[in-house]
Amino acid sequence: MKTLNRLFDRRVAVAAALALAMVGAGAQDTKIGAVNVERILRDSNTAKAVSTKLEQDFSKRERDLRSSADQLRQAAERFDREAPTLPEAQRNSRQRQLVEQERDLQRRQRDFQEELNLRRNEALQQVIEKLNRVIRTIAEAEKYDLIVNEAYYVNPRVDITDRVMSQLDSSK
């Protein structure tokens, strides 16, 4: 509930600031734009290229982990079938070996996930920095007074998302 109240308070403050900017501008026209950053990060070619690159970089390791998990599962099933007929010492030894393999697999999966998340966050941060530069360039070139990225409603007349996405994808 507190989060909802803070979100509402923040949006009310933005609306009040917009109203004050419009009143303060008087006869001068205020130029406002809106950008849907979430859509850009989902649909832009730049974001898709980053996602594809990450997928290529990590797909081999992911396949290897899946293969290791399958091998461990098969070894555990084989052990379950053979355990009743094995001597106790051999059964204990194989059980310890399976536990060690499982720990190793879990550690490798954790390391993989941490590295993937780290690389994804780094790549996303680079895209966001580039996106911010594009938005700033458009704002300065087209003399926008205010560009917002979150709003309850955006009139298509002030939505510049497609223009920003196009310029983001064309800049390298």
Side-chain angles (χ1 to χ4, degrees), residues 79-97:
F79 174 74
D80 288 343
R81 280 191 313 269
E82 297 172 357
T85 60
L86 292 174
E88 186 174 344
Q90 192 177 5
R91 184 174 52 238
N92 290 340
S93 171
R94 283 183 57 187
Q95 193 170 19
R96 275 193 302 276
Q97 186 180 30

Side-chain angles (χ1 to χ4, degrees), residues 29-40:
D29 287 333
T30 301
K31 191 168 183 182
I32 298 173
V35 177
N36 185 336
V37 174
E38 184 179 312
R39 188 174 128 219
I40 291 172

Side-chain angles (χ1 to χ4, degrees), residues 103-160:
R103 267 193 223 128
D104 180 56
L105 177 62
Q106 288 174 352
R107 180 191 51 75
R108 289 175 35 221
Q109 287 173 330
R110 221 178 12 259
D111 291 348
F112 170 79
Q113 198 60 49
E114 287 174 4
E115 187 177 344
L116 176 62
N117 289 338
L118 180 67
R119 290 271 306 277
R120 182 181 294 131
N121 290 341
E122 289 171 352
L124 182 62
Q125 187 60 40
Q126 290 174 352
V127 172
I128 289 173
E129 287 172 7
K130 191 175 179 182
L131 175 62
N132 287 337
R133 284 192 301 271
V134 167
I135 292 171
R136 193 171 298 112
T137 300
I138 289 173
E140 291 169 357
E142 299 181 19
K143 305 212 182 315
Y144 277 92
D145 296 308
L146 177 68
I147 295 180
V148 296
N149 105 26
E150 243 184 78
Y152 287 116
Y153 170 76
V154 175
N155 187 316
R157 180 178 51 81
V158 297
D159 188 357
I160 62 171

Side-chain angles (χ1 to χ4, degrees), residues 46-77:
T46 302
K48 287 178 182 177
V50 166
S51 184
T52 301
K53 172 101 172 81
L54 279 173
E55 191 175 305
Q56 288 172 348
D57 291 349
F58 285 88
S59 64
K60 184 185 181 313
R61 274 181 64 191
E62 186 176 21
R63 278 192 311 272
D64 291 345
L65 285 171
R66 282 190 186 138
S67 174
S68 294
D70 287 343
Q71 289 172 357
L72 178 62
R73 182 183 45 76
Q74 290 170 358
E77 288 171 357

